[in-house]
Amino acid sequence: MNGENPLDEMADGFGHAKPHWRPLLSTLFSLGHDTLAQRARMLDQAFTEEGITAILPGERSVDWRCDPIPLLISAAEFSSLEAGLAQRAQLIELILADLYGPQTLMAGGLIPPDLVYGNPAFLRPCRDVDGRRRDRYLTFYAADMLRGPDGAWRVLADRTDQAPGLANALENRRILARIVPELFQFQRIQQLRQFLEISSDALQALAPDDGTGVALLSGGHSDPLWFEHVLLSREMSIGLVEGGDLTQRNGQVFLKTLRGLQRIGVLLRRMEGGRVDSLELSAGTGVPGLLDAIRGGAVRMVNDAGSALAEAPALAAFLPALARRLLGDDLQLASQPTLWLGEGAVVRTVLRDLEGWIFRPATDGQSPPVVPMMLSAEERSKLAARMAANPTAYAASVAPTPSVAPCAGQHGLEAKPIALRMFLTFDGTRWRAFPGGLARALSEEDALAGRLPRNALSKDVWVMADEASTVQGALALLTPTLAIRRTAGDLPSRVADNFYWLGRYLERLEEAARLQKAILARILRPSPTAREVAEMQILAASLTNVNMMEAEDASVLGTGMLALGVIRAFRRDGGMRRVLAHVARQVEQLRDRLTGEMHAVLTRSLRIMGENMKRLPADTNARSLEHASNLTTEILEFAATVAGLAAENMVRGGGRLFLDFGRRMERAQAITAELAQVLDQPGAFTQPGRVEAGLRLALELRDSVITYRTRYLAVLQPAPALDLILADDGNPRGLAFQLVAARELLREIVEDGDSLLMAMEPLLREIRDIVQEVLNSPDQMATTAHLPPRLKKLERAISAVADRVSRRYFTLLPVARSLGMENEPMRGAA
């Protein structure tokens, strides 16, 4: 690497390594290129398996990587940056207070009205018309910075809305420390944990009353920053909620839980400000009446819903004058020189030399800048015409020349330009900077500003500790003594709903895999017998019922079409892939509720199964069918692993309760549906052999063949077989076991005598009656042949109980779920 590059973060102006870089460089050279390249690959793999990535291949693809070489900032430089950014944050706080209050800055000509009233981020319902507001607009702040050729840092963008990226920085540190621990030896690096504690305490201190909760308000798992929401809520020990989880009652905000309403006093906003209140702002996922509760002081929002107003790129052009007016001082940390094209002759000056500038929408801080140097002559001409026609819509900044830092490359260290995002929080008395940051190595395609990209090479940022520094902890807060609680009722309704559907989809995946495995075993036999051919037709009909095979494939005689139908289920638009995607989405939504071990196992297994399904050949030869059979084995092993993890890693009650309840109800419905299907065969009333074949298949699908043989040797009779499948509450694959388990789970959340408990008794009585009637019948085969209508009625009754539980506990959140047939979405338990 060129050590004489004056822009090098690592080198001083004489081409020598800066003092705080020397120990790290020594470690890097001792590791050697091959080892460093290997660690870089391990980092990529760790981020794929654990970090900010999609669970299934091809789903919302994210390629966020971390370079093994961190970016180092000396203690003195960090102190200077902290002071400069704190001043900017205080200035922006004053600007927001004025623009949402008396608006003297606009009246005095210091801020053009076009940048306020023409800005979609200016939320008129947030105005403090009567001047009674006492809450801050900013508690969290971030800034994107570049170091210029003169060695000075300059701010390219102020982040006053959600200030995202903190989770990325935390993940970089966590994974880098594990994969390349040698780098951290003999280094005095400031720790990150203290900042999180300070931030958490600052939020707790904002609560208007004792006993009110603090929660992170998220846009939900479809939000691109969902991973950050999950991690921050966990690290700060606060709840993670969505708009549908909250309700406003009598001027106060409450979280809807299974046990009732819990008051929320502080909301850390991590969704767009314009969507937080679906009554006063845009309709959608917000909380109706939330702004009214904020005005009344019952809840505080951090940052304010209207704080994105200060992210307008053109505002940077006016900050120097505003600093002198509001602070009586010049900016300690200047912006990249910026002009608003709406001012007089500015646009003509800029248009004379487009290549010396970068351009951004005047009021949209999320859009990436346009770099004329990257455009063709025709594209530059069109850009100039647009700006000349509407100059007020654009801001121009001098094209920066970022400093470079060493990055691990294929042939050694490579110099890449760097952008740095730093984070600050207001602790109640002063602004405190996060002793790290999020650095990005920029390529030609990367935007210098705008929202964080989904694909990027980032760097851990080390702030070196001063030799004389002392650790200053978070301020102690007086908090009320917490009462001990061991109930499941505090679980938010949405979370219970997600656990319930995770259980159902997991069971649906397992049941489909059992059917697929059974039919594949018969298709793969060289010369299937007549009985096996009949069983394949029964299994194909069962697969059709659960939308795992097309009806036309199931209706054709011959193993070729059946094989094709099985293979189709594993393709991208097939039934197995759809159910796998449902499981993955539920796991992603529950990321904040699953232990690290359980989440890692789930995501790794789901990703591997998804990749194996993608590799499944399209033809139907023996190799493809063996591959599909192996996939069904993987799925069954995955289901067993999840059941074991849930039993050993999840607290009884709460999430585990609804996860298990969902599995029990799904399995109960599957048992009755499958048994009705295998018994409902043409000629069953006159050909007892068809009933016997159906019962044999039912025992196989319930994994109960060995148990039956152990009890009854080789004699197959309807009553003993039905007893094992339906009425034996000791058989974990039997129906009675599912219903008894579901009843006991309900006892944990309802009182004795509750109608839900009472509804389980007729179901248990019915299956006992079925077995007893068959046992007492002089012709058990004939009586069994008449059972399918009765079993289908029983399945509907089980479904009705599941629906009652759904309506009671989950109807606060009306989300469409896929219930039963995948092609027939119904309004389910949400």
Side-chain angles (χ1 to χ4, degrees), residues 451-690:
R451 60 175 55 89
L452 286 177
R454 296 185 67 80
N455 306 318
L457 175 64
S458 62
K459 297 175 80 69
D460 187 18
V461 178
W462 291 6
V463 175
M464 311 311 292
D466 193 339
E467 292 290 341
S469 65
T470 58
V471 177
Q472 180 178 354
L475 299 176
L477 291 176
L478 294 176
T479 57
T481 301
L482 297 177
I484 294 175
R485 291 200 295 253
R486 296 179 181 174
T487 66
D490 293 332
L491 197 68
S493 299
R494 173 185 54 83
V495 176
D497 174 54
N498 288 335
F499 271 115
Y500 171 77
W501 280 99
L502 175 60
R504 295 203 68 159
Y505 285 131
L506 282 169
E507 189 61 31
R508 197 169 297 179
L509 185 68
E510 180 182 351
E511 292 296 331
R514 289 187 181 280
L515 289 169
Q516 299 277 23
K517 190 173 184 65
I519 196 170
L520 282 166
R522 290 159 173 82
I523 292 174
L524 284 167
R525 288 169 188 163
S527 300
T529 64
R531 190 184 79 180
E532 289 171 339
V533 171
E535 289 173 344
M536 280 191 277
Q537 292 299 317
I538 296 172
L539 289 167
S542 297
L543 285 167
T544 302
N545 285 345
V546 295
N547 205 42
M548 292 294 161
M549 183 176 287
E550 299 295 333
E552 55 267 27
D553 293 338
S555 62
V556 177
L557 294 176
T559 58
M561 288 302 297
L562 290 179
L564 181 60
V566 170
I567 294 296
R568 283 175 177 168
F570 291 96
R571 292 179 183 169
R572 183 167 183 81
D573 58 346
M576 297 297 284
R577 287 295 297 271
R578 286 199 300 272
V579 178
L580 194 70
H582 283 310
V583 173
R585 279 192 289 273
Q586 296 302 126
V587 169
E588 196 171 355
Q589 290 182 19
L590 290 166
R591 191 165 189 164
D592 64 315
R593 297 281 174 167
L594 300 173
T595 65
E597 179 183 359
M598 190 168 186
H599 181 264
V601 170
L602 285 168
T603 53
R604 189 180 303 115
S605 300
L606 287 166
R607 189 175 292 112
I608 291 171
M609 287 189 292
E611 290 170 350
N612 288 341
M613 286 186 187
K614 285 181 65 177
R615 288 196 290 265
L616 181 66
D619 52 29
T620 58
N621 58 30
R623 180 170 167 270
S624 299
L625 296 174
E626 285 286 356
H627 190 141
S629 181
N630 292 337
L631 278 171
T632 62
T633 302
E634 284 184 33
I635 292 171
L636 295 176
E637 291 173 351
F638 168 69
T641 301
V642 173
L645 282 171
E648 297 297 327
N649 286 40
M650 296 183 70
V651 175
R652 301 184 189 280
R656 178 184 166 182
L657 187 154
F658 285 96
L659 174 71
D660 204 16
F661 184 78
R663 294 199 71 164
R664 299 304 169 195
M665 298 308 288
E666 183 72 24
R667 187 177 295 179
Q669 288 183 245
I671 293 169
T672 52
E674 286 174 4
L675 185 59
Q677 181 66 48
V678 300
L679 295 178
D680 191 12
Q681 300 302 317
F685 299 113
T686 59
Q687 302 179 45
R690 291 187 178 271

Side-chain angles (χ1 to χ4, degrees), residues 25 195 403 450 655 678:
L25 290 175
F195 181 85
S403 62
V678 300

